[in-house]
């Protein structure tokens, strides 16, 4: 059964994706039980909204963008960890990113207002899923990606189902980024 959910995110640039890809390629064979996320799904979620009206969310984000979005500063992926069965890369960032997430949360009021900067790279399933993810994390502990400058805030629709997909519905340029 397919369902649609919304989230607000920024995306790694080509150099950051290449660094992630290189480190993941080096360990995938050692952890075949993980469901590795395809590169086009690597993102940094600022707010997860779940089921929501895309038009209403876009209008609220338009209002936020008109007031001015914070100037983007460099970020980079670094190290790894887990949330239950999810394997992620950490994100080193300045206060601006936390501020951007706070602004988005203030405007959209998501149910979960926690912000944990990370890029999900794999998920485990079945019995022992959390242990499986935890066992893979040390393989990425030394990951250190290049700095990159987020260029846009995006509203994304995630469709679950047999072949999950992401669709960018709207984007708002971030000053300081390449837009």
């Amino acid at each position: 059964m397919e369902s649609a959910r919304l989230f607000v995110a920024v995306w790694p640039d080509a150099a950051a994706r290449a660094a992630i890809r290189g480190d993941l390629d080096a360990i995938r064979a050692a952890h075949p039980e993980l469901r590795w996320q395809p590169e086009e799904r690597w993102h940094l979620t600022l707010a997860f909204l779940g089921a929501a009206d895309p038009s209403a969310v876009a209008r609220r984000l338009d209002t936020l963008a008109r007031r001015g979005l914070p100037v983007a500063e460099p970020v980079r992926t670094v190290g790894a960890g887990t949330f239950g069965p999810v394997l992620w890369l950490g994100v080193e960032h300045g206060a601006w990113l936390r501020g951007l997430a706070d602004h988005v949360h203030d405007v959209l009021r998501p149910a979960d207002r926690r912000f944990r900067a990370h890029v999900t790279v794999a998920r485990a399933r079945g019995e022992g899923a959390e242990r499986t993810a935890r066992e893979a994390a040390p393989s990425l502990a030394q990951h250190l990606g290049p700095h990159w400058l987020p260029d846009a805030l995006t509203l994304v629709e995630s469709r679950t189902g047999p072949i999950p997909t992401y669709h960018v519905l709207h984007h708002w340029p971030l000053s300081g980024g390449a837009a």
Side-chain angles (χ1 to χ4, degrees):
M1 174 155 186
E2 187 177 296
S3 67
R5 303 174 301 175
L6 300 179
F7 62 89
V8 178
V10 297
W11 300 83
D13 71 4
R17 290 190 313 271
I20 294 168
R21 184 182 330 107
D23 283 351
L24 294 186
D25 286 350
I27 70 161
R28 283 181 213 253
H31 302 282
E33 66 283 4
L34 289 172
R35 289 183 17 221
W36 295 95
Q37 297 298 300
E39 182 173 335
E40 65 272 9
R41 295 185 65 175
W42 297 338
H43 66 279
L44 194 165
T45 300
L46 298 175
F48 178 77
L49 308 172
D53 175 9
S55 296
V57 171
R59 281 191 303 275
R60 288 181 176 176
L61 290 173
D62 280 339
T63 300
L64 176 64
R66 278 193 304 275
R67 283 189 265 163
L69 297 172
V71 173
E73 295 176 7
V75 298
R76 68 177 170 180
T77 52
V78 58
T82 61
F83 300 134
V86 174
L87 175 62
W88 49 260
L89 297 175
V91 176
E92 182 179 273
H93 61 86
W96 81 273
L97 188 63
R98 160 88 45 208
L100 178 59
D102 288 346
H103 289 313
V104 168
H105 288 179
D106 289 346
V107 167
L108 300 178
R109 304 268 180 220
D112 183 353
R113 294 178 59 98
R114 292 173 291 180
F115 173 65
R116 293 175 240 135
H118 71 282
V119 174
T120 297
V121 294
R123 297 177 189 279
R125 284 198 150 170
E127 189 174 322
E130 290 185 26
R131 179 180 36 78
T132 299
R134 273 195 317 272
E135 289 172 353
S139 301
L140 291 169
Q142 299 304 311
H143 171 78
L144 183 63
H147 285 98
W148 54 277
L149 196 60
D151 62 359
L153 179 70
T154 59
L155 175 61
V156 183
E157 178 183 66
S158 168
R159 290 216 168 255
T160 60
I163 302 174
T165 58
Y166 289 171
H167 301 283
V168 174
L169 302 176
H170 298 280
H171 73 277
W172 297 265
L174 291 170
S175 54

